[in-house]
Structure formats: structure tokens, C-alpha cells
Amino acid sequence: MDTEKLREAVLSRLKAVPYPGFSRDIVSFGMVRDVAVDDEGRVRITIVYSAEPDRVRQTIEQAVVQAVQGVVGVRQVEVVATQREMARPSVPQRQSVPGVRHVIAVASAKGGVGKSTVAVNLAYALKELSYTVGLLDADIYGPSAPIMLKTEGEPTTDGKRIFPVSAMGLKMISIGFFLPTEDQALIWRGPMVMKAVHQLVWDVEWAPLDYLVVDLPPGTGDAQLTLLQEVRLSGAVIVTTPQRVALVDARKGVTMFKRLDTPVLGIVENMSYFRCSKCGETYEIFDRRGGLHAAKMLGVPFLGEIPIEPRMREGADRGEPVFLCAPDSEAARAFMDIARKVAAALPTAEPTQ
């Protein structure tokens, strides 16, 4: 028996096994670590998992066995499950930010999903629930909070501490305040990014706050690791878009936070749908419920879906959260519901206001 040809046939069948609920296959997802075939037609397939719950693993393994058993020459199929081995970054003793009850990271594994929009409106919604809230714009390369929120004055310092600006009832700081011009690009290597994030957390006078919402840059790089290694986070909110392929990116974010022992508060699906104000029809421009499906697959809460709301975009350009520019909108109601879920997951004794 030509074991190499049999192995290729088995691998071809595995490329037709989709990840549950998705069109992409488990091979392209990088889940098939090894396919071993012997002269007797016995096949041993090693599947590597990261953050999948048990029910997803069972579905995958059953599909693998069923697919491979149909290959001519295969007499026995064994599936071996293993956990993805990733180097765990050394984590020093994390500290709480003085005077801050809860620090919430808002993250996404890719850009363009509206992460900053979610961070700004989540922070403002928590403020509307009578909590004292701060917003740290840690998106070093693309700071947008100074544009999305009207601010009063500039950050000040007494030589030791930096005092954040007041932004529509929020305490807010951003690297954008320290750039000479709005279109100035930061061409920084990792150590400079890490130092900037460190200073924006520890050198700023945040207290007293119920919640500090941190808008992270997209991806899983230096800024994220600095925050995760230094700060005792209460939890993370993952922002995604509705496409079913969003699971690929959502998995990265969820896996990063879980690896560093940070609770994932849930997934927010942004740009879920567009409802025409004239005809009332709903259009699922980027598909819909990919975020909900990803949350189920990853075993984390689904916090809600945010529709495409032109008034919200217009308000952001003017520096107004959705609660001011479109208080009667579905987006405003959705953000308030998300804020209530976050507050319920991370309760404070009483709002400090």
C-alpha cells in the first residue's frame, strides 16, 4: 500500500470538513497538526484545539472520522486531540490602578470593526447609568477618542502626575493629545509603544472611578501585552463584525485574554444590520449573527448587536456619542443594554457619583 498516496487522500478529505457552522475547513484553520498512515491502513489524525468548548470538539471529531472512513484503503481511524501549545508570556504581579474599581479592555483582533466606537459609547453608557467612568485611548497608532468626544481643555501635569481632560462627563486621556498635529503619524517600535501605554495607565490621575474603559489597538501585540501583564483587568469586551469568518479573529482575541487569565466579558457584534428609516426594511449588509455564533462556539457571553446607524457616524465626527446625536435610535438602546450587562458582570457597591 502506498502510504503517501493514502495520506494525501485523507488530507484531501479533511480539507472538506468545515469548522462547525462555518464554510472554512479545519485544515485552513490550522487545526490538523499531523496525519499518520501505516501499511495496514490505520490512520492517526492529530487535531489541535485552542478555545473550543467540548461540544464543538465532539462535532469536529465525529465529522473527521466519518469523512476519513470513506477513503479507499482506510481500515481504522483514530483521532487524537491536543491543546495548542503556546509560550505563555511571563506575567509579573499585576497591580490595580489606584482608585479604580474595574478596568475593562475593549479589543479586536483586526482593525475596521468599530472597536473605538464601541469603547466610547460603552464608556458613555456606563456614565449614563450614574457611574464615574474614565476612557483610556490606548490605540497608539490610531487614536480617535479626541475626535469622537468633545473635550474641555488639554491634559495638565504637576510635574509628577498627568491629569486627564473632561470629555462630556468622562475622564479621558489619549496619545492624540500629545501629538503636534492631528495627522501626525507615530513611527514607533515596540518598546516605545509599551512605555507609552505604561505612562497612560500609571502616570495619570484616574481616581476615583467605578470603571476605566481602555480602547486597545487592533491585534495582539505590544500594547495589549503591556496592559495584560501590568494591570489587573476585570475583564475584556471583544468587538467583531457579523461575517462568519469573524470567528477567526474573535478566537485570537478570546485566546489571548484567556491565556493571560483575564475574563472575557463577552462579544459585541458591530455593524449587524441596517434598518432603512424610510421603508422600514432591514438589510444585513455584512451578514448577521456571526458574533452570536462565535460567542456560542467560544463559550463566552454575547453582549449584543449594534446596527449601522448613519446618525451615530455623523455624531462621532462632531464629537457626540450616540446618546446625544441619536438618543432614540436602536444603537443607543443596544449600547445601554450592553452597559447594563457589563455593570451586572462587574458590580460596584454603589455608583460613586
Side-chain angles (χ1 to χ4, degrees):
M1 178 182 295
D2 190 330
T3 57
E4 184 57 33
K5 286 186 178 180
L6 183 56
R7 182 181 180 281
E8 290 177 1
V10 168
L11 190 58
S12 177
R13 284 293 181 92
L14 292 176
K15 290 178 180 178
V17 176
Y19 191 98
F22 291 80
S23 58
R24 282 189 62 179
D25 63 275
I26 60 173
V27 175
S28 66
F29 264 118
M31 299 182 69
V32 178
R33 172 169 289 180
D34 184 54
V35 176
V37 178
D38 67 14
D39 294 333
E40 301 297 323
R42 290 178 294 215
V43 179
R44 189 171 187 266
I45 302 166
T46 303
I47 304 291
V48 58
Y49 296 107
S50 52
E52 290 79 6
D54 289 342
R55 65 180 183 279
V56 175
R57 299 184 182 202
Q58 292 171 2
T59 301
I60 291 173
E61 290 166 22
Q62 289 171 0
V64 165
V65 171
Q66 184 176 359
V68 176
Q69 280 180 335
V71 176
V72 176
V74 172
R75 294 185 177 182
Q76 180 181 332
V77 181
E78 178 187 6
V79 178
V80 178
T82 184
Q83 195 68 23
R84 189 176 301 277
E85 297 178 3
M86 296 175 287
R88 191 181 186 88
S90 59
V91 181
Q93 186 65 38
R94 301 179 210 176
Q95 302 294 321
S96 298
V97 179
V100 178
R101 290 175 174 173
H102 294 292
V103 180
I104 304 167
V106 178
S108 65
K110 66 187 292 293
V113 299
K115 170 186 52 60
S116 294
T117 297
V118 171
V120 166
N121 284 284
L122 171 60
Y124 196 87
L126 288 168
K127 192 232 14 144
E128 289 291 279
L129 293 175
S130 299
Y131 294 103
T132 53
V133 184
L135 176 65
L136 167 53
D137 181 4
D139 194 343
I140 301 299
Y141 296 116
S144 55
I147 299 173
M148 300 177 71
L149 286 172
K150 293 177 182 177
T151 59
E152 300 173 13
E154 299 287 333
T156 59
T157 180
D158 61 2
K160 296 180 180 178
R161 305 286 291 167
I162 300 171
F163 298 93
V165 301
S166 176
M168 312 191 78
L170 303 172
K171 291 183 179 181
M172 195 261 280
I173 203 74
S174 168
I175 195 69
F177 289 122
F178 305 100
L179 300 179
T181 61
E182 189 176 279
D183 59 353
Q184 176 73 45
L186 286 179
I187 308 173
W188 284 0
R189 292 186 182 275
M192 295 180 70
V193 172
M194 296 164 69
K195 183 178 180 181
V197 172
H198 175 92
Q199 290 181 309
L200 293 177
V201 172
W202 301 111
D203 293 354
V204 174
E205 189 61 52
W206 290 111
L209 290 180
D210 293 311
Y211 299 100
L212 175 60
V213 177
V214 183
D215 180 14
L216 287 170
T220 55
D222 294 314
Q224 291 85 348
L225 287 177
T226 299
L227 190 76
L228 286 164
Q229 291 179 339
E230 293 188 5
V231 181
R232 184 174 292 125
L233 295 177
S234 298
V237 172
I238 308 296
V239 182
T240 187
T241 44
Q243 295 96 324
R244 305 191 85 185
V245 294
L247 177 61
V248 180
D249 299 301
R251 284 176 62 194
K252 295 176 184 177
V254 170
T255 300
M256 175 182 69
F257 286 105
K258 285 186 174 182
R259 282 178 56 201
L260 292 173
D261 301 321
T262 298
V264 176
L265 302 176
I267 291 177
V268 172
E269 179 183 290
N270 195 28
M271 308 180 205
S272 293
Y273 58 91
F274 169 72
R275 197 182 309 279
C276 178
S277 60
K278 295 182 179 179
C279 67
E281 288 290 325
T282 298
Y283 299 92
E284 298 175 359
I285 298 174
F286 300 110
D287 203 352
R288 193 173 179 184
R289 298 186 177 86
L292 173 62
H293 195 73
K296 289 181 178 179
M297 292 295 100
L298 296 169
V300 299
F302 182 64
L303 295 176
E305 54 185 22
I306 310 298
I308 297 172
E309 173 58 69
R311 290 182 296 169
M312 181 166 62
R313 190 272 306 163
E314 295 165 0
D317 289 344
R318 296 193 304 268
E320 297 178 354
V322 68
F323 302 97
L324 298 181
C325 65
D328 59 336
S329 65
E330 292 181 68
R333 292 192 294 272
F335 275 119
M336 189 59 69
D337 184 55
I338 291 168
R340 290 192 181 99
K341 291 176 180 177
V342 169
L346 302 174
T348 60
E350 291 291 340
T352 57
Q353 284 188 351

